[in-house]
Amino acid sequence: TYPLVVHDRHDEALSGGRKYLAYTLGAGQMLLIAGISIAIIAPGASFQPGGFLAGRASSGLLTLLFILAMIGVSVKAAIMPLHSWLPAAMVAPTPVSALLHAVAVVKAGTFGCIRIIHYVFGIDVLQAIGADMAVALLASTTILVASIRALGEQNLKRRLAYSTVSQLSYIVLGAAIGTPAALAGAMFHIVAHGFMKITLFFCAGAIYVKTHKLDIPDLDGLGRQMPITFGAFTIGALGLAGTPLCVGFISKWNLGLGALQ
């Protein structure tokens, strides 16, 4: 994905690409250290519901390994304060932005969070060391701060980028809550957000190809010229908001039920 981020090869693209590499490769080293350490503690273990590390190490070591593993995947899941590579990568062409935000990179991060929380450590271990609440607080803060930040962005792609940062943390929050409904909502939102966000980015790309405009104040009135594009954009945006009859409602309804549980 790095060559795709720096595709345009101007200074901003190269800077965004360097930041992307630094964040993801640095986090990857932490994930590697955690993975090797876990393999030493539990040789031959494989993913299993409820985790497999209970009773295999002290709480201090488990806490350290959880921090390393979560940093390793949280960069791609764009949990604050590990998120800044994602808006910087918006210099890439719009189809690349759609790939980064809807399918490939960020979803690997959220999938990794679910795997680590529920299939390596287990929610009981995390509750014992207090890590579940820490992850839930970080995810909740990211949801709120990124949503507010998105409102202040005047560039459409950057606004969508901060929307992605916010939406990804719904998945992480559901994993941290840990109840069956919350976990189901989190896993469903991986797919639901993918469909919604790729629609929004493709619409942004269509707008740019036709008008060469991406600043939101310049888009006034374009809905009459591009009704199908803006209609699709509206459906995607309603889905992100969790509006009933849209796909995002299913995941967010289950996240709410899981929180009540």
Side-chain angles (χ1 to χ4, degrees), residues 83-182:
H83 70 289
S84 64
W85 67 270
L86 192 54
M90 285 300 92
V91 296
T94 304
V96 179
S97 300
L99 175 75
L100 292 174
H101 283 253
V103 184
V105 176
V106 297
K107 292 303 161 56
T110 55
F111 180 77
C113 288
I114 291 174
R115 279 296 202 187
I116 288 168
I117 291 173
H118 285 278
Y119 294 86
V120 176
F121 287 86
I123 200 70
D124 292 335
V125 169
L126 298 187
Q127 288 175 351
I129 63 178
D132 62 322
M133 186 58 67
V135 173
L137 288 172
L138 272 175
S140 301
T141 301
T142 301
I143 290 169
L144 293 172
V145 174
S147 297
I148 294 169
R149 180 66 187 270
L151 294 175
E153 293 293 339
Q154 295 302 301
N155 181 277
L156 179 58
K157 285 179 65 179
R158 284 185 64 85
R159 179 171 290 187
L160 292 176
Y162 277 103
S163 164
T164 297
V165 174
S166 173
Q167 292 293 321
L168 294 174
S169 278
Y170 281 102
I171 302 170
V172 179
L173 178 60
I177 291 172
T179 56

Side-chain angles (χ1 to χ4, degrees), residues 54 59 88:
S59 60

Side-chain angles (χ1 to χ4, degrees), residues 63-86:
T63 300
L64 176 61
L65 291 177
F66 181 72
I67 291 172
L68 289 173
M70 282 299 292
I71 290 176
V73 293
S74 292
V75 164
K76 288 187 175 181
I79 299 175
M80 289 183 172
L82 305 174
H83 70 289
S84 64
W85 67 270
L86 192 54

